[in-house]
Amino acid sequence: MMDGLIAGRLYGTPEQRISKTGKPFMVARMRAECGDGENLFVNVIAFDAAPCAALEALREGDAIAIAGPITPKVWTNKQGVVHPALDAIAHQVLTAYHVEHKQRQVAAGQAGRDA
């Protein structure tokens, strides 16, 4: 396992599931575009409250970036062709909302210094 930061778009809608011990967690899939124009599928799981809440608010096609441990994998399509994939544990989730919110905070801080 290695730490990574991956950006892409959600593929499908994230789902909440319940562990055997009764604790909720979220699962999602995203597509990250590789430099060669190919797409890499990322299987995402989140256990902590903040990344779970962020994933729960998103829908298919939404832009997303996740940070956390990643594990390289492969999967085979129906034609028998092997493709790379990643499994990721989302410790942090960044969405367009988070970027806009941060930009407003920075702008407000600069306006306060200019006054």
Side-chain angles (χ1 to χ4, degrees), residues 69-86:
I70 57 173
T71 304
K73 301 281 185 173
V74 296
W75 65 278
T76 306
N77 67 13
K78 293 177 183 176
Q79 292 76 31
V81 178
V82 177
H83 297 277
L86 293 173

Side-chain angles (χ1 to χ4, degrees), residues 89-103:
I89 300 171
H91 287 180
Q92 293 184 339
V93 175
L94 179 67
T95 67
Y97 165 79
H98 295 101
V99 172
E100 291 172 9
H101 181 72
K102 186 66 171 176
Q103 288 172 339

Side-chain angles (χ1 to χ4, degrees), residues 6-25:
I6 307 163
R9 294 200 173 269
L10 280 176
Y11 183 78
T13 301
E15 297 177 18
Q16 183 182 58
R17 298 195 181 157
I18 305 296
S19 72
K20 292 179 183 178
T21 60
K23 186 174 179 184
F25 64 97

